[in-house]
Amino acid sequence: MNQITFSIKIVIFGIYDNQLMVLLRNNRLIDQAVRPDTSLDEVAKQIFSTVTDIPVKNNYIEQLYTVTGKQNEVSVVYYVLLPETTAPTEPEFRWKNTSDISKTMEDIEVIHYAVQRLQWKIEYTNIIYSLLPQTFTLTQLQTAYEIIFQKTLDKRNFRKKILSLDFLEATNKKYIGSTRPAQMYRFKKRKPVIVKVFS
Amino acid sequence: MNQITFSIKIVIFGIYDNQLMVLLRNNRLIDQAVRPDTSLDEVAKQIFSTVTDIPVKNNYIEQLYTVTGKQNEVSVVYYVLLPETTAPTEPEFRWKNTSDISKTMEDIEVIHYAVQRLQWKIEYTNIIYSLLPQTFTLTQLQTAYEIIFQKTLDKRNFRKKILSLDFLEATNKKYIGSTRPAQMYRFKKRKPVIVKVFS
DNA sequence: GCAAAAGTGTTTTGGATACACCCATGT
DNA sequence: ACATGGGTGTATCCAAAACACTTTTGC
């Protein structure tokens, strides 16, 4: 029996340039061989921090599924949500639009499945907090949902619904742009909670 | 680096004795070492068939998640739904009520998580077909939902809803008991379809 | 004829949807 | 003063929930 190669793959999601993006390294998912002797969740978080130079605080992370390859390769796939995205500083990293992935890319099924799971999770939990900065306007929040679900929402109905869920609170900050200042909100708790956001 | 031990665990669900049960072997989940050189789903199905002597036809099977243990052990956990349960013939096998699992049992978290995922899946797909015989009465179907969700349902509302989903069709058979015969139904298609069964 | 499960409709209610105008600011 | 995005309320519709009696059979 051959040695088994065991690795963790991570789909890093972020909203960047008004699109739902995944972070790729050399045009592939972040992938790292590991020794399966500790909690996989912890290992996944460490890899994420090391690779991105971003400390994992309350970034939402979830195991997706496990696949096997030809040569006794086993990969456990995770996805992570990243708030406050920036342009990658190192050249091998690149944000890639999830709705514009070439069919020849090898991780395409994994990414598509990850997007689907993300949509489900966003539908019935509050974890979208993990894709947003600490404070944000309601329009920013609405735009995030619109990007993830690829459909437009009615402003009044959205605000009515989201405020009725009672997981936001107004801050004393205003967003100052070139037009009327907007009230900024924050999540009361940045912890995953099951909440039906959409019908 | 030590050799990695790789295995598949299977949570086999069935409705038996009017309870949601899992099949245990020697009081543990079915667990088998495997070589990860082919599709894990296929291996899981093979193990299921070998262990239970039941051919996998359209039994619903789904990968749950992957856990690691202390000594480089990796287990991929699956769950399977079994229709037409019977008392196990071999003594090492036993049906165990999912809502009555001793806290000392080592697989308790896995089973609890599996139950949760099952409830979830049953809520928004038609896969309950995989826990029922080919034909059944509406009362049987309602009872299955009541067992899985541990709550009672209103008969009239249930029938209205389930028939409106249009995935059942009446057969020409009647269930004959000691009281008024009941119309038997079957699923139009025994394939997983996303359908919101409950609100 | 009686016990036991099958079968069947209507009313009420709450949440989702549709929809348009005024407000505060920067330029 | 005007362009831009922020902010707000009401009416309609549909699906969920609540609710009770008649029917058919075996004994």
Side-chain angles (χ1 to χ4, degrees):
Chain A
M1 181 161 169
N2 298 331
Q3 187 71 277
I4 296 171
T5 315
F6 191 73
S7 75
I8 288 184
K9 284 193 184 186
I10 307 185
V11 181
I12 299 178
F13 282 116
I15 291 177
Y16 183 72
D17 199 16
N18 263 3
Q19 295 292 341
L20 181 63
M21 301 277 205
V22 289
L23 189 64
L24 300 183
R25 180 173 58 191
N26 298 322
N27 220 33
R28 305 177 58 189
L29 289 178
I30 280 85
D31 188 350
Q32 187 159 117
V34 296
R35 288 173 45 215
D37 54 3
T38 44
S39 157
L40 287 180
D41 291 19
E42 291 307 316
V43 179
K45 286 180 193 173
Q46 283 167 27
I47 295 172
F48 169 76
S49 291
T50 307
V51 159
T52 60
D53 254 334
I54 299 164
V56 186
K57 296 169 300 188
N58 293 327
N59 300 309
Y60 184 76
I61 188 166
E62 179 179 322
Q63 192 189 297
L64 265 188
Y65 71 136
T66 299
V67 288
T68 48
K70 301 293 172 202
Q71 277 88 35
N72 284 343
E73 296 163 1
V74 180
S75 296
V76 183
V77 184
Y78 278 78
Y79 72 93
V80 191
L81 304 185
L82 200 59
E84 316 208 50
T85 54
T86 54
T89 52
E90 296 171 67
E92 66 266 35
F93 288 95
R94 238 179 69 227
W95 285 110
K96 179 77 183 167
N97 187 336
T98 52
S99 50
D100 175 29
I101 295 172
S102 74
K103 295 194 184 69
T104 58
M105 193 185 148
E106 75 176 280
D107 291 315
I108 183 167
E109 301 92 355
V110 177
I111 294 174
H112 280 157
Y113 180 61
V115 170
Q116 208 180 334
R117 280 275 288 265
L118 173 65
Q119 288 177 337
W120 286 340
K121 207 77 185 189
I122 297 266
E123 235 178 277
Y124 72 91
T125 71
N126 63 343
I127 63 156
I128 199 166
Y129 70 78
S130 199
L131 282 169
L132 291 169
Q134 293 283 331
T135 64
F136 47 85
T137 66
L138 290 183
T139 299
Q140 270 179 279
L141 180 60
Q142 179 176 342
T143 303
Y145 280 113
E146 289 178 337
I147 289 169
I148 293 164
F149 292 113
Q150 302 264 55
K151 67 177 176 187
T152 58
L153 300 170
D154 177 84
K155 182 159 56 157
R156 278 171 295 187
N157 291 338
F158 175 77
R159 286 165 183 236
K160 214 185 311 168
K161 182 67 198 287
I162 214 78
L163 292 175
S164 79
L165 296 177
D166 198 39
F167 55 46
L168 298 184
E169 59 189 4
T171 66
N172 53 12
K173 290 195 285 184
K174 298 260 178 195
Y175 175 80
I176 310 290
S178 69
T179 157
R180 177 174 175 176
Q183 177 64 52
M184 298 196 84
Y185 289 81
R186 76 166 74 88
F187 280 87
K188 286 185 177 176
K189 299 194 174 165
R190 292 187 149 243
K191 295 281 173 198
V193 172
I194 293 177
V195 174
K196 197 146 150 225
V197 180
F198 289 113
S199 52
Chain B
M1 180 160 168
N2 298 331
Q3 187 71 274
I4 297 171
T5 315
F6 191 73
S7 74
I8 288 184
K9 283 193 185 186
I10 307 185
V11 181
I12 299 178
F13 282 116
I15 292 177
Y16 182 72
D17 200 16
N18 262 4
Q19 296 291 342
L20 181 63
M21 301 278 207
V22 289
L23 189 64
L24 301 182
R25 180 174 58 191
N26 298 323
N27 219 35
R28 306 178 57 189
L29 289 178
I30 281 83
D31 188 350
Q32 188 158 117
V34 296
R35 288 172 44 214
D37 54 2
T38 44
S39 156
L40 288 180
D41 291 20
E42 291 307 316
V43 179
K45 286 180 193 172
Q46 283 166 27
I47 294 171
F48 169 76
S49 291
T50 307
V51 159
T52 62
D53 254 333
I54 298 164
V56 186
K57 295 169 299 188
N58 294 327
N59 300 309
Y60 183 76
I61 187 164
E62 179 180 323
Q63 191 189 298
L64 264 188
Y65 71 136
T66 300
V67 288
T68 48
K70 301 294 172 202
Q71 278 87 34
N72 285 342
E73 296 163 0
V74 180
S75 295
V76 183
V77 185
Y78 278 78
Y79 72 92
V80 191
L81 304 185
L82 200 59
E84 317 208 49
T85 53
T86 52
T89 52
E90 296 171 68
E92 66 266 34
F93 288 95
R94 239 177 68 226
W95 285 111
K96 179 78 183 167
N97 188 337
T98 53
S99 52
D100 175 30
I101 295 173
S102 75
K103 296 194 184 67
T104 58
M105 194 185 147
E106 75 176 279
D107 290 316
I108 182 166
E109 300 93 356
V110 177
I111 294 173
H112 280 157
Y113 180 62
V115 170
Q116 212 180 326
R117 280 274 290 265
L118 173 65
Q119 287 179 335
W120 221 65
K121 205 78 186 186
I122 297 263
E123 234 178 277
Y124 71 93
T125 71
N126 64 343
I127 63 156
I128 199 167
Y129 71 78
S130 199
L131 281 169
L132 290 169
Q134 292 282 332
T135 64
F136 48 85
T137 66
L138 290 182
T139 299
Q140 270 180 281
L141 180 60
Q142 178 176 343
T143 304
Y145 280 111
E146 289 178 336
I147 288 168
I148 293 164
F149 292 112
Q150 301 265 56
K151 66 178 176 187
T152 58
L153 300 170
D154 177 85
K155 182 160 55 158
R156 279 170 296 186
N157 292 338
F158 174 77
R159 287 166 183 235
K160 213 182 313 168
K161 182 68 197 286
I162 214 77
L163 292 176
S164 79
L165 297 177
D166 198 39
F167 55 45
L168 298 184
E169 59 189 3
T171 66
N172 54 11
K173 290 195 285 182
K174 298 259 177 195
Y175 175 79
I176 310 290
S178 69
T179 157
R180 178 174 174 175
Q183 177 64 52
M184 298 196 83
Y185 289 80
R186 76 165 76 88
F187 280 87
K188 286 185 178 175
K189 300 193 173 164
R190 292 187 147 244
K191 295 281 173 197
V193 172
I194 293 177
V195 174
K196 198 146 150 226
V197 180
F198 289 113
S199 53

